[in-house]
Amino acid sequence: QVQLVESGGGSVQAGGSLRLSCLVSGTTYNSYCMGWFRQPLGKERQGVATIDGDGNPSYVESVKGRFTISKDNAKNILYLQMNSLKPEDTAMYYCAAQVSGGSRYGLLSVPRYEYWGQGTQVTVSS
């Protein structure tokens, strides 16, 4: 059974940084697509950043140049480095994994991913 556990959320002022971590267990995830998603209170969940099995990242336009997704295959950890944080980045952040091969959904699409963590809250104050 695949399990994803996020950590690293917190409260920061605008312009600050946070690094989120997602510990993956129950699968060898090296060849799978992994992603970070966020859901502001009262809004839909949206894709933030993904990384495929070859290590190629994709980002939503609003975080390009500020966020960096990476993974440590030896430790089975997915990271999201968030710099220059803005109040609009405030949300619950979720780690997700696509375990099955192939999908008709885009890399930043929620339905593509079968497994989800419990989320970690990020709050950015102005």
Side-chain angles (χ1 to χ4, degrees):
Q1 183 178 0
V2 178
Q3 290 188 322
L4 308 174
V5 180
E6 304 97 333
S7 61
S11 297
V12 297
Q13 290 190 329
S17 297
L18 285 173
R19 188 177 78 160
L20 305 183
S21 300
C22 174
L23 178 62
V24 183
S25 61
T27 183
T28 53
Y29 82 128
N30 296 1
S31 61
Y32 303 141
C33 193
M34 301 286 298
W36 286 99
F37 291 74
R38 66 187 179 187
Q39 187 167 16
L41 189 64
K43 296 185 179 181
E44 291 187 354
R45 193 170 299 188
Q46 65 167 177
V48 175
T50 67
I51 188 165
D52 66 17
D54 295 323
N56 300 306
S58 297
Y59 300 95
V60 69
E61 191 65 33
S62 60
V63 307
K64 285 181 179 178
R66 300 189 298 122
F67 291 11
T68 302
I69 189 171
S70 63
K71 58 181 182 176
D72 185 329
N73 290 337
K75 296 181 179 178
N76 271 14
I77 298 177
L78 179 72
Y79 298 104
L80 183 68
Q81 178 66 44
M82 304 186 296
N83 298 327
S84 301
L85 282 161
K86 304 176 180 180
E88 51 263 44
D89 295 318
T90 295
M92 185 71 78
Y93 282 71
Y94 297 90
C95 172
Q98 177 199 2
V99 176
S100 61
S103 175
R104 63 187 178 95
Y105 296 102
L107 289 171
L108 291 170
S109 296
V110 171
R112 184 184 185 101
Y113 298 84
E114 302 105 320
Y115 294 95
W116 295 83
Q118 81 290 348
T120 185
Q121 179 67 37
V122 172
T123 302
V124 184
S125 58
S126 58

